[in-house]
């Protein structure tokens, strides 16, 4: 079986076939997938009926799986979060404000883990339980967005550094610092990242933005916030966005270095349960 990719969006996103994630993937397959992530940004693996052990074995091929330490989202598994509304027994997750806020915050355009250093590199999200009409997850091509900028603006912003903070993204949805556990507050000091990143495999530049992106280092706060807002609006225009539809057992993997994403709304009326895992960059960015 050899890996095949079919591009789904105009500029990015592909489906992958010729792979069975119930079995360990080879180093060669992993390296092909790394290149595909650099080329397509988002990969959709259809109909992969895997459990935790297989998902863990898969993500580990790409690096040390991230420890999922946020108390508010804990699943009891050291490397998974659940994105959704029910626990492993199908029981609605307790209505803890912080957890509900995280789920709501997923509807803001973001890259995973830009609020930590080193940031998250890749995410793999597996659909375990879906509502009857599963809401899509939307992705934005941040390389295409960079390319669309006027040269003068490219020159102006290349080299800038941005402060990313979980408190900034959560403030947007009405959450205060006091709503986080003490542990989380200790783990989540704001961090700086470049506004423009170069992908190590393709050499292509892209905007690095997220709901966590607060302001530009060395600029007046308001000016930096206005720039981040302007660039985020630009980068999430329809021509840069692709909506990924969910089917049972699909696994979607994305490259957080040059894509942004957001959840579209879902209600608690029908269970939704997505198993989330990720690998971080090995060095600070
Ligand atoms: C995520 C995320 C979006 C969704 O898993 O990181 O943002 O549609 N999910 O659940
Ligand atoms: Mn996310």
């Amino acid at each position: 079986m050899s890996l095949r990719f079919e591009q789904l969006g105009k500029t990015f996103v592909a489906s992958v076939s010729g792979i069975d994630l119930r079995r360990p993937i080879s180093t060669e397959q992993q390296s092909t997938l790394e290149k595909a992530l650099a080329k397509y940004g988002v990969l959709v693996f259809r109909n992969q009926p895997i459990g935790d052990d297989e998902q863990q074995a898969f993500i580990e091929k790409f690096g040390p799986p991230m420890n999922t330490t946020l108390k508010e989202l804990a699943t009891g598994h050291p490397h998974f979060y659940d994105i959704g509304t029910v626990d492993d027994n199908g029981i609605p997750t307790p209505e803890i404000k912080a957890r509900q806020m995280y789920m709501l915050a997923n509807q803001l355009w973001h890259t995973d883990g830009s609020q930590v250093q080193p940031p998250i590199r890749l995410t793999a999200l597996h659909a375990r339980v879906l509502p009857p009409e599963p809401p899509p997850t939307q992705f934005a091509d941040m390389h295409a967005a960079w390319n669309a900028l006027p040269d003068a603006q490219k020159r102006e912003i290349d080299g800038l550094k941005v402060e990313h903070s979980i408190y900034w993204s959560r403030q947007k949805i009405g959450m205060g610092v006091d709503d986080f556990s003490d542990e989380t507050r200790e783990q989540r000091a704001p961090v700086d990242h470049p506004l423009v990143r170069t992908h190590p495999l393709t050499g292509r530049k892209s905007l690095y933005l997220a709901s966590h992106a607060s302001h530009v280092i060395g600029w007046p706060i308001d000016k930096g916030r206005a720039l981040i807002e302007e660039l985020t609006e630009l980068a999430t225009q329809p021509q840069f966005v692709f909506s990924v539809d969910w089917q049972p057992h699909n696994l979607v993997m994305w490259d957080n270095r040059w894509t942004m994403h957001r959840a579209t709304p879902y209600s608690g009326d029908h269970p939704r349960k997505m198993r989330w895992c990720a690998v971080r960059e090995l060095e600070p960015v």
Side-chain angles (χ1 to χ4, degrees), residues 83-84 102-103 105-108 110-112 123-125 135-139 244 246 254 256 261-264 266 272 274-277:
I83 309 294
Y102 272 102
M103 294 302 128
N106 270 349
Q107 293 177 29
L108 304 174
H110 65 283
T111 35
D112 288 336
T123 303
L125 188 64
T137 303
Q138 295 187 317
F139 290 87
V244 171
W246 287 98
W254 60 86
N256 287 291
H261 62 277
R262 66 171 178 184
T264 56
Y266 50 90
R272 179 188 199 250
M274 321 286 277
R275 217 57 150 182
W276 181 102
C277 60

PDB file of all heavy atoms in Angstrom, residues 83-84 102-103 105-108 110-112 123-125 135-139 244 246 254 256 261-264 266 272 274-277, ligand 1:
ATOM      1  N   ILE A  83     -12.088  17.084  22.988  1.00  0.00           N
ATOM      2  CA  ILE A  83     -12.707  18.307  22.504  1.00  0.00           C
ATOM      3  C   ILE A  83     -14.165  17.948  22.266  1.00  0.00           C
ATOM      4  O   ILE A  83     -14.465  17.211  21.331  1.00  0.00           O
ATOM      5  CB  ILE A  83     -12.054  18.780  21.181  1.00  0.00           C
ATOM      6  CG1 ILE A  83     -10.528  18.855  21.305  1.00  0.00           C
ATOM      7  CG2 ILE A  83     -12.636  20.101  20.724  1.00  0.00           C
ATOM      8  CD1 ILE A  83     -10.002  19.890  22.242  1.00  0.00           C
ATOM      9  N   GLY A  84     -15.043  18.377  23.123  1.00  0.00           N
ATOM     10  CA  GLY A  84     -16.431  18.004  22.922  1.00  0.00           C
ATOM     11  C   GLY A  84     -17.251  18.101  24.182  1.00  0.00           C
ATOM     12  O   GLY A  84     -16.951  18.904  25.064  1.00  0.00           O
ATOM     13  N   TYR A 102     -12.927  26.956  27.338  1.00  0.00           N
ATOM     14  CA  TYR A 102     -11.952  26.428  26.379  1.00  0.00           C
ATOM     15  C   TYR A 102     -12.650  25.997  25.093  1.00  0.00           C
ATOM     16  O   TYR A 102     -12.163  26.228  23.995  1.00  0.00           O
ATOM     17  CB  TYR A 102     -11.213  25.222  26.963  1.00  0.00           C
ATOM     18  CG  TYR A 102      -9.987  25.600  27.746  1.00  0.00           C
ATOM     19  CD1 TYR A 102     -10.016  25.619  29.133  1.00  0.00           C
ATOM     20  CD2 TYR A 102      -8.801  25.942  27.112  1.00  0.00           C
ATOM     21  CE1 TYR A 102      -8.912  25.977  29.873  1.00  0.00           C
ATOM     22  CE2 TYR A 102      -7.690  26.304  27.849  1.00  0.00           C
ATOM     23  CZ  TYR A 102      -7.753  26.317  29.226  1.00  0.00           C
ATOM     24  OH  TYR A 102      -6.659  26.673  29.954  1.00  0.00           O
ATOM     25  N   MET A 103     -13.785  25.339  25.261  1.00  0.00           N
ATOM     26  CA  MET A 103     -14.507  24.853  24.086  1.00  0.00           C
ATOM     27  C   MET A 103     -15.018  26.034  23.256  1.00  0.00           C
ATOM     28  O   MET A 103     -14.950  26.024  22.032  1.00  0.00           O
ATOM     29  CB  MET A 103     -15.676  23.951  24.506  1.00  0.00           C
ATOM     30  CG  MET A 103     -15.225  22.662  25.177  1.00  0.00           C
ATOM     31  SD  MET A 103     -14.138  21.680  24.121  1.00  0.00           S
ATOM     32  CE  MET A 103     -12.759  21.411  25.209  1.00  0.00           C
ATOM     33  N   ALA A 105     -13.633  28.981  23.236  1.00  0.00           N
ATOM     34  CA  ALA A 105     -12.457  29.643  22.665  1.00  0.00           C
ATOM     35  C   ALA A 105     -11.979  28.938  21.401  1.00  0.00           C
ATOM     36  O   ALA A 105     -11.352  29.552  20.536  1.00  0.00           O
ATOM     37  CB  ALA A 105     -11.333  29.685  23.695  1.00  0.00           C
ATOM     38  N   ASN A 106     -12.291  27.652  21.245  1.00  0.00           N
ATOM     39  CA  ASN A 106     -11.918  26.942  20.018  1.00  0.00           C
ATOM     40  C   ASN A 106     -12.609  27.518  18.797  1.00  0.00           C
ATOM     41  O   ASN A 106     -12.213  27.246  17.671  1.00  0.00           O
ATOM     42  CB  ASN A 106     -12.268  25.453  20.133  1.00  0.00           C
ATOM     43  CG  ASN A 106     -11.134  24.646  20.710  1.00  0.00           C
ATOM     44  OD1 ASN A 106     -10.017  25.144  20.840  1.00  0.00           O
ATOM     45  ND2 ASN A 106     -11.412  23.413  21.060  1.00  0.00           N
ATOM     46  N   GLN A 107     -13.657  28.293  19.034  1.00  0.00           N
ATOM     47  CA  GLN A 107     -14.343  28.911  17.892  1.00  0.00           C
ATOM     48  C   GLN A 107     -13.665  30.206  17.437  1.00  0.00           C
ATOM     49  O   GLN A 107     -14.087  30.819  16.464  1.00  0.00           O
ATOM     50  CB  GLN A 107     -15.810  29.177  18.241  1.00  0.00           C
ATOM     51  CG  GLN A 107     -16.593  27.882  18.434  1.00  0.00           C
ATOM     52  CD  GLN A 107     -18.031  28.133  18.863  1.00  0.00           C
ATOM     53  OE1 GLN A 107     -18.630  29.148  18.534  1.00  0.00           O
ATOM     54  NE2 GLN A 107     -18.583  27.187  19.600  1.00  0.00           N
ATOM     55  N   LEU A 108     -12.638  30.624  18.151  1.00  0.00           N
ATOM     56  CA  LEU A 108     -11.824  31.757  17.676  1.00  0.00           C
ATOM     57  C   LEU A 108     -10.711  31.188  16.794  1.00  0.00           C
ATOM     58  O   LEU A 108     -10.157  30.138  17.106  1.00  0.00           O
ATOM     59  CB  LEU A 108     -11.183  32.488  18.865  1.00  0.00           C
ATOM     60  CG  LEU A 108     -12.100  33.019  19.968  1.00  0.00           C
ATOM     61  CD1 LEU A 108     -11.259  33.572  21.115  1.00  0.00           C
ATOM     62  CD2 LEU A 108     -13.023  34.096  19.417  1.00  0.00           C
ATOM     63  N   HIS A 110      -7.314  30.196  15.654  1.00  0.00           N
ATOM     64  CA  HIS A 110      -6.105  29.997  16.473  1.00  0.00           C
ATOM     65  C   HIS A 110      -5.176  28.969  15.848  1.00  0.00           C
ATOM     66  O   HIS A 110      -5.566  28.217  14.946  1.00  0.00           O
ATOM     67  CB  HIS A 110      -6.478  29.553  17.896  1.00  0.00           C
ATOM     68  CG  HIS A 110      -7.132  28.202  17.983  1.00  0.00           C
ATOM     69  ND1 HIS A 110      -8.449  27.979  17.657  1.00  0.00           N
ATOM     70  CD2 HIS A 110      -6.642  26.991  18.352  1.00  0.00           C
ATOM     71  CE1 HIS A 110      -8.752  26.703  17.827  1.00  0.00           C
ATOM     72  NE2 HIS A 110      -7.662  26.064  18.239  1.00  0.00           N
ATOM     73  N   THR A 111      -3.943  28.963  16.339  1.00  0.00           N
ATOM     74  CA  THR A 111      -3.046  27.817  16.128  1.00  0.00           C
ATOM     75  C   THR A 111      -2.881  27.181  17.486  1.00  0.00           C
ATOM     76  O   THR A 111      -2.827  27.873  18.493  1.00  0.00           O
ATOM     77  CB  THR A 111      -1.646  28.242  15.644  1.00  0.00           C
ATOM     78  OG1 THR A 111      -1.319  29.464  16.265  1.00  0.00           O
ATOM     79  CG2 THR A 111      -1.568  28.390  14.173  1.00  0.00           C
ATOM     80  N   ASP A 112      -2.801  25.861  17.520  1.00  0.00           N
ATOM     81  CA  ASP A 112      -2.695  25.199  18.810  1.00  0.00           C
ATOM     82  C   ASP A 112      -1.341  25.508  19.444  1.00  0.00           C
ATOM     83  O   ASP A 112      -0.298  25.454  18.794  1.00  0.00           O
ATOM     84  CB  ASP A 112      -2.847  23.682  18.647  1.00  0.00           C
ATOM     85  CG  ASP A 112      -4.285  23.304  18.319  1.00  0.00           C
ATOM     86  OD1 ASP A 112      -5.191  24.079  18.657  1.00  0.00           O
ATOM     87  OD2 ASP A 112      -4.469  22.229  17.720  1.00  0.00           O
ATOM     88  N   THR A 123      -0.880  18.733  15.288  1.00  0.00           N
ATOM     89  CA  THR A 123      -2.006  18.235  16.086  1.00  0.00           C
ATOM     90  C   THR A 123      -2.671  17.100  15.318  1.00  0.00           C
ATOM     91  O   THR A 123      -2.771  17.166  14.086  1.00  0.00           O
ATOM     92  CB  THR A 123      -3.059  19.345  16.310  1.00  0.00           C
ATOM     93  OG1 THR A 123      -2.441  20.464  16.929  1.00  0.00           O
ATOM     94  CG2 THR A 123      -4.214  18.858  17.180  1.00  0.00           C
ATOM     95  N   ALA A 124      -3.128  16.063  16.034  1.00  0.00           N
ATOM     96  CA  ALA A 124      -3.934  15.000  15.415  1.00  0.00           C
ATOM     97  C   ALA A 124      -5.227  14.869  16.217  1.00  0.00           C
ATOM     98  O   ALA A 124      -5.193  14.617  17.420  1.00  0.00           O
ATOM     99  CB  ALA A 124      -3.179  13.678  15.408  1.00  0.00           C
ATOM    100  N   LEU A 125      -6.349  15.064  15.540  1.00  0.00           N
ATOM    101  CA  LEU A 125      -7.657  15.060  16.187  1.00  0.00           C
ATOM    102  C   LEU A 125      -8.484  13.935  15.583  1.00  0.00           C
ATOM    103  O   LEU A 125      -8.653  13.864  14.358  1.00  0.00           O
ATOM    104  CB  LEU A 125      -8.335  16.421  15.947  1.00  0.00           C
ATOM    105  CG  LEU A 125      -9.632  16.701  16.681  1.00  0.00           C
ATOM    106  CD1 LEU A 125      -9.427  16.745  18.192  1.00  0.00           C
ATOM    107  CD2 LEU A 125     -10.226  18.042  16.217  1.00  0.00           C
ATOM    108  N   PRO A 135     -20.469  19.545  12.945  1.00  0.00           N
ATOM    109  CA  PRO A 135     -19.989  20.846  12.482  1.00  0.00           C
ATOM    110  C   PRO A 135     -18.577  20.705  11.922  1.00  0.00           C
ATOM    111  O   PRO A 135     -17.760  19.975  12.490  1.00  0.00           O
ATOM    112  CB  PRO A 135     -19.988  21.691  13.756  1.00  0.00           C
ATOM    113  CG  PRO A 135     -19.922  20.719  14.873  1.00  0.00           C
ATOM    114  CD  PRO A 135     -20.553  19.455  14.406  1.00  0.00           C
ATOM    115  N   PRO A 136     -18.302  21.347  10.792  1.00  0.00           N
ATOM    116  CA  PRO A 136     -16.942  21.251  10.239  1.00  0.00           C
ATOM    117  C   PRO A 136     -15.922  22.009  11.093  1.00  0.00           C
ATOM    118  O   PRO A 136     -16.298  22.832  11.919  1.00  0.00           O
ATOM    119  CB  PRO A 136     -17.075  21.910   8.866  1.00  0.00           C
ATOM    120  CG  PRO A 136     -18.251  22.814   8.965  1.00  0.00           C
ATOM    121  CD  PRO A 136     -19.181  22.205   9.996  1.00  0.00           C
ATOM    122  N   THR A 137     -14.666  21.705  10.895  1.00  0.00           N
ATOM    123  CA  THR A 137     -13.586  22.509  11.454  1.00  0.00           C
ATOM    124  C   THR A 137     -12.982  23.298  10.294  1.00  0.00           C
ATOM    125  O   THR A 137     -12.741  22.732   9.229  1.00  0.00           O
ATOM    126  CB  THR A 137     -12.524  21.612  12.117  1.00  0.00           C
ATOM    127  OG1 THR A 137     -13.173  20.810  13.114  1.00  0.00           O
ATOM    128  CG2 THR A 137     -11.430  22.425  12.779  1.00  0.00           C
ATOM    129  N   GLN A 138     -12.790  24.586  10.498  1.00  0.00           N
ATOM    130  CA  GLN A 138     -12.291  25.422   9.405  1.00  0.00           C
ATOM    131  C   GLN A 138     -10.791  25.673   9.556  1.00  0.00           C
ATOM    132  O   GLN A 138     -10.303  25.845  10.688  1.00  0.00           O
ATOM    133  CB  GLN A 138     -13.021  26.762   9.393  1.00  0.00           C
ATOM    134  CG  GLN A 138     -14.495  26.600   9.082  1.00  0.00           C
ATOM    135  CD  GLN A 138     -15.180  27.936   8.891  1.00  0.00           C
ATOM    136  OE1 GLN A 138     -14.942  28.880   9.652  1.00  0.00           O
ATOM    137  NE2 GLN A 138     -16.016  28.023   7.883  1.00  0.00           N
ATOM    138  N   PHE A 139     -10.113  25.710   8.420  1.00  0.00           N
ATOM    139  CA  PHE A 139      -8.664  25.951   8.407  1.00  0.00           C
ATOM    140  C   PHE A 139      -8.345  27.136   7.493  1.00  0.00           C
ATOM    141  O   PHE A 139      -9.040  27.356   6.500  1.00  0.00           O
ATOM    142  CB  PHE A 139      -7.930  24.703   7.903  1.00  0.00           C
ATOM    143  CG  PHE A 139      -7.993  23.569   8.891  1.00  0.00           C
ATOM    144  CD1 PHE A 139      -9.067  22.684   8.891  1.00  0.00           C
ATOM    145  CD2 PHE A 139      -7.005  23.409   9.855  1.00  0.00           C
ATOM    146  CE1 PHE A 139      -9.144  21.658   9.824  1.00  0.00           C
ATOM    147  CE2 PHE A 139      -7.071  22.388  10.798  1.00  0.00           C
ATOM    148  CZ  PHE A 139      -8.142  21.507  10.783  1.00  0.00           C
ATOM    149  N   VAL A 244     -13.254  21.580   6.757  1.00  0.00           N
ATOM    150  CA  VAL A 244     -13.087  20.126   6.754  1.00  0.00           C
ATOM    151  C   VAL A 244     -14.308  19.494   7.420  1.00  0.00           C
ATOM    152  O   VAL A 244     -14.624  19.795   8.569  1.00  0.00           O
ATOM    153  CB  VAL A 244     -11.787  19.721   7.484  1.00  0.00           C
ATOM    154  CG1 VAL A 244     -11.720  18.215   7.689  1.00  0.00           C
ATOM    155  CG2 VAL A 244     -10.572  20.203   6.698  1.00  0.00           C
ATOM    156  N   TRP A 246     -16.479  16.349   8.971  1.00  0.00           N
ATOM    157  CA  TRP A 246     -16.138  15.180   9.804  1.00  0.00           C
ATOM    158  C   TRP A 246     -17.036  14.004   9.480  1.00  0.00           C
ATOM    159  O   TRP A 246     -18.234  14.167   9.316  1.00  0.00           O
ATOM    160  CB  TRP A 246     -16.291  15.522  11.282  1.00  0.00           C
ATOM    161  CG  TRP A 246     -15.204  16.430  11.762  1.00  0.00           C
ATOM    162  CD1 TRP A 246     -15.279  17.780  11.889  1.00  0.00           C
ATOM    163  CD2 TRP A 246     -13.885  16.059  12.170  1.00  0.00           C
ATOM    164  NE1 TRP A 246     -14.082  18.271  12.348  1.00  0.00           N
ATOM    165  CE2 TRP A 246     -13.217  17.234  12.529  1.00  0.00           C
ATOM    166  CE3 TRP A 246     -13.201  14.844  12.259  1.00  0.00           C
ATOM    167  CZ2 TRP A 246     -11.893  17.241  12.982  1.00  0.00           C
ATOM    168  CZ3 TRP A 246     -11.888  14.847  12.697  1.00  0.00           C
ATOM    169  CH2 TRP A 246     -11.244  16.034  13.058  1.00  0.00           C
ATOM    170  N   TRP A 254      -2.863  18.391  11.437  1.00  0.00           N
ATOM    171  CA  TRP A 254      -2.505  19.668  10.804  1.00  0.00           C
ATOM    172  C   TRP A 254      -1.181  20.200  11.316  1.00  0.00           C
ATOM    173  O   TRP A 254      -0.727  19.879  12.407  1.00  0.00           O
ATOM    174  CB  TRP A 254      -3.616  20.692  10.943  1.00  0.00           C
ATOM    175  CG  TRP A 254      -4.036  21.072  12.322  1.00  0.00           C
ATOM    176  CD1 TRP A 254      -3.477  22.032  13.110  1.00  0.00           C
ATOM    177  CD2 TRP A 254      -5.141  20.539  13.079  1.00  0.00           C
ATOM    178  NE1 TRP A 254      -4.165  22.129  14.294  1.00  0.00           N
ATOM    179  CE2 TRP A 254      -5.188  21.224  14.306  1.00  0.00           C
ATOM    180  CE3 TRP A 254      -6.104  19.546  12.825  1.00  0.00           C
ATOM    181  CZ2 TRP A 254      -6.149  20.956  15.284  1.00  0.00           C
ATOM    182  CZ3 TRP A 254      -7.058  19.274  13.801  1.00  0.00           C
ATOM    183  CH2 TRP A 254      -7.077  19.972  15.002  1.00  0.00           C
ATOM    184  N   ASN A 256       0.638  23.230  12.563  1.00  0.00           N
ATOM    185  CA  ASN A 256       0.324  24.514  13.203  1.00  0.00           C
ATOM    186  C   ASN A 256       1.308  25.621  12.824  1.00  0.00           C
ATOM    187  O   ASN A 256       1.097  26.775  13.188  1.00  0.00           O
ATOM    188  CB  ASN A 256       0.320  24.347  14.724  1.00  0.00           C
ATOM    189  CG  ASN A 256      -0.899  23.588  15.214  1.00  0.00           C
ATOM    190  OD1 ASN A 256      -2.019  24.096  15.155  1.00  0.00           O
ATOM    191  ND2 ASN A 256      -0.697  22.364  15.678  1.00  0.00           N
ATOM    192  N   HIS A 261      -6.889  27.450  12.598  1.00  0.00           N
ATOM    193  CA  HIS A 261      -8.151  26.722  12.518  1.00  0.00           C
ATOM    194  C   HIS A 261      -9.118  27.240  13.568  1.00  0.00           C
ATOM    195  O   HIS A 261      -8.721  27.959  14.502  1.00  0.00           O
ATOM    196  CB  HIS A 261      -7.931  25.213  12.692  1.00  0.00           C
ATOM    197  CG  HIS A 261      -7.356  24.840  14.025  1.00  0.00           C
ATOM    198  ND1 HIS A 261      -6.007  24.898  14.292  1.00  0.00           N
ATOM    199  CD2 HIS A 261      -7.932  24.425  15.171  1.00  0.00           C
ATOM    200  CE1 HIS A 261      -5.791  24.519  15.541  1.00  0.00           C
ATOM    201  NE2 HIS A 261      -6.941  24.235  16.105  1.00  0.00           N
ATOM    202  N   ARG A 262     -10.378  26.845  13.414  1.00  0.00           N
ATOM    203  CA  ARG A 262     -11.374  27.140  14.446  1.00  0.00           C
ATOM    204  C   ARG A 262     -12.497  26.106  14.352  1.00  0.00           C
ATOM    205  O   ARG A 262     -12.793  25.575  13.276  1.00  0.00           O
ATOM    206  CB  ARG A 262     -11.948  28.549  14.302  1.00  0.00           C
ATOM    207  CG  ARG A 262     -12.764  28.763  13.063  1.00  0.00           C
ATOM    208  CD  ARG A 262     -13.475  30.125  13.096  1.00  0.00           C
ATOM    209  NE  ARG A 262     -14.228  30.324  11.866  1.00  0.00           N
ATOM    210  CZ  ARG A 262     -14.872  31.436  11.571  1.00  0.00           C
ATOM    211  NH1 ARG A 262     -14.850  32.463  12.403  1.00  0.00           N
ATOM    212  NH2 ARG A 262     -15.540  31.542  10.432  1.00  0.00           N
ATOM    213  N   ALA A 263     -13.107  25.850  15.494  1.00  0.00           N
ATOM    214  CA  ALA A 263     -14.304  25.009  15.529  1.00  0.00           C
ATOM    215  C   ALA A 263     -15.474  25.856  15.055  1.00  0.00           C
ATOM    216  O   ALA A 263     -15.469  27.074  15.209  1.00  0.00           O
ATOM    217  CB  ALA A 263     -14.553  24.526  16.950  1.00  0.00           C
ATOM    218  N   THR A 264     -16.480  25.208  14.472  1.00  0.00           N
ATOM    219  CA  THR A 264     -17.739  25.902  14.225  1.00  0.00           C
ATOM    220  C   THR A 264     -18.728  25.421  15.308  1.00  0.00           C
ATOM    221  O   THR A 264     -18.536  24.339  15.869  1.00  0.00           O
ATOM    222  CB  THR A 264     -18.257  25.637  12.793  1.00  0.00           C
ATOM    223  OG1 THR A 264     -18.371  24.229  12.592  1.00  0.00           O
ATOM    224  CG2 THR A 264     -17.294  26.217  11.761  1.00  0.00           C
ATOM    225  N   TYR A 266     -21.191  23.977  18.011  1.00  0.00           N
ATOM    226  CA  TYR A 266     -21.985  22.767  18.250  1.00  0.00           C
ATOM    227  C   TYR A 266     -22.648  22.903  19.614  1.00  0.00           C
ATOM    228  O   TYR A 266     -22.138  23.571  20.500  1.00  0.00           O
ATOM    229  CB  TYR A 266     -21.146  21.492  18.161  1.00  0.00           C
ATOM    230  CG  TYR A 266     -19.867  21.498  18.968  1.00  0.00           C
ATOM    231  CD1 TYR A 266     -19.854  21.044  20.286  1.00  0.00           C
ATOM    232  CD2 TYR A 266     -18.678  21.937  18.412  1.00  0.00           C
ATOM    233  CE1 TYR A 266     -18.684  21.041  21.023  1.00  0.00           C
ATOM    234  CE2 TYR A 266     -17.507  21.944  19.145  1.00  0.00           C
ATOM    235  CZ  TYR A 266     -17.510  21.501  20.442  1.00  0.00           C
ATOM    236  OH  TYR A 266     -16.356  21.513  21.172  1.00  0.00           O
ATOM    237  N   ARG A 272     -20.564  15.003  21.241  1.00  0.00           N
ATOM    238  CA  ARG A 272     -19.435  15.137  20.316  1.00  0.00           C
ATOM    239  C   ARG A 272     -18.193  14.865  21.139  1.00  0.00           C
ATOM    240  O   ARG A 272     -18.029  15.426  22.227  1.00  0.00           O
ATOM    241  CB  ARG A 272     -19.376  16.547  19.747  1.00  0.00           C
ATOM    242  CG  ARG A 272     -18.193  16.771  18.792  1.00  0.00           C
ATOM    243  CD  ARG A 272     -18.104  18.242  18.428  1.00  0.00           C
ATOM    244  NE  ARG A 272     -17.329  18.493  17.219  1.00  0.00           N
ATOM    245  CZ  ARG A 272     -16.133  19.081  17.209  1.00  0.00           C
ATOM    246  NH1 ARG A 272     -15.544  19.441  18.338  1.00  0.00           N
ATOM    247  NH2 ARG A 272     -15.509  19.318  16.072  1.00  0.00           N
ATOM    248  N   MET A 274     -13.984  14.288  20.480  1.00  0.00           N
ATOM    249  CA  MET A 274     -12.832  14.234  19.587  1.00  0.00           C
ATOM    250  C   MET A 274     -11.597  14.074  20.459  1.00  0.00           C
ATOM    251  O   MET A 274     -11.404  14.840  21.402  1.00  0.00           O
ATOM    252  CB  MET A 274     -12.685  15.541  18.804  1.00  0.00           C
ATOM    253  CG  MET A 274     -13.994  16.166  18.341  1.00  0.00           C
ATOM    254  SD  MET A 274     -14.719  15.284  16.986  1.00  0.00           S
ATOM    255  CE  MET A 274     -13.811  15.986  15.644  1.00  0.00           C
ATOM    256  N   ARG A 275     -10.773  13.110  20.109  1.00  0.00           N
ATOM    257  CA  ARG A 275      -9.567  12.880  20.902  1.00  0.00           C
ATOM    258  C   ARG A 275      -8.431  13.696  20.306  1.00  0.00           C
ATOM    259  O   ARG A 275      -8.085  13.522  19.139  1.00  0.00           O
ATOM    260  CB  ARG A 275      -9.262  11.396  20.835  1.00  0.00           C
ATOM    261  CG  ARG A 275      -8.717  10.741  22.055  1.00  0.00           C
ATOM    262  CD  ARG A 275      -9.534  10.854  23.295  1.00  0.00           C
ATOM    263  NE  ARG A 275      -9.329   9.702  24.149  1.00  0.00           N
ATOM    264  CZ  ARG A 275      -9.934   9.502  25.286  1.00  0.00           C
ATOM    265  NH1 ARG A 275     -10.784  10.388  25.747  1.00  0.00           N
ATOM    266  NH2 ARG A 275      -9.695   8.427  25.989  1.00  0.00           N
ATOM    267  N   TRP A 276      -7.844  14.553  21.105  1.00  0.00           N
ATOM    268  CA  TRP A 276      -6.834  15.524  20.665  1.00  0.00           C
ATOM    269  C   TRP A 276      -5.457  15.125  21.191  1.00  0.00           C
ATOM    270  O   TRP A 276      -5.314  14.821  22.377  1.00  0.00           O
ATOM    271  CB  TRP A 276      -7.228  16.883  21.226  1.00  0.00           C
ATOM    272  CG  TRP A 276      -6.375  18.068  20.897  1.00  0.00           C
ATOM    273  CD1 TRP A 276      -6.649  19.033  19.973  1.00  0.00           C
ATOM    274  CD2 TRP A 276      -5.151  18.475  21.526  1.00  0.00           C
ATOM    275  NE1 TRP A 276      -5.669  20.001  19.989  1.00  0.00           N
ATOM    276  CE2 TRP A 276      -4.738  19.678  20.925  1.00  0.00           C
ATOM    277  CE3 TRP A 276      -4.351  17.921  22.533  1.00  0.00           C
ATOM    278  CZ2 TRP A 276      -3.569  20.355  21.291  1.00  0.00           C
ATOM    279  CZ3 TRP A 276      -3.175  18.585  22.894  1.00  0.00           C
ATOM    280  CH2 TRP A 276      -2.808  19.790  22.271  1.00  0.00           C
ATOM    281  N   CYS A 277      -4.449  15.116  20.335  1.00  0.00           N
ATOM    282  CA  CYS A 277      -3.069  14.951  20.818  1.00  0.00           C
ATOM    283  C   CYS A 277      -2.161  15.775  19.909  1.00  0.00           C
ATOM    284  O   CYS A 277      -2.558  16.196  18.822  1.00  0.00           O
ATOM    285  CB  CYS A 277      -2.647  13.487  20.861  1.00  0.00           C
ATOM    286  SG  CYS A 277      -2.708  12.674  19.273  1.00  0.00           S
TER     287      CYS A 277
HETATM  288  C1  LIG B   1      -8.581  21.550  18.288  1.00  0.00           C
HETATM  289  C2  LIG B   1      -9.635  22.463  17.843  1.00  0.00           C
HETATM  290  C3  LIG B   1     -11.688  22.402  16.621  1.00  0.00           C
HETATM  291  C4  LIG B   1     -12.908  21.558  16.571  1.00  0.00           C
HETATM  292  O1  LIG B   1      -8.871  20.348  18.400  1.00  0.00           O
HETATM  293  O2  LIG B   1      -7.440  21.992  18.512  1.00  0.00           O
HETATM  294  O3  LIG B   1      -9.445  23.631  17.794  1.00  0.00           O
HETATM  295  O4  LIG B   1     -13.662  21.675  15.584  1.00  0.00           O
HETATM  296  N1  LIG B   1     -10.745  21.840  17.452  1.00  0.00           N
HETATM  297  O5  LIG B   1     -13.100  20.794  17.517  1.00  0.00           O
END
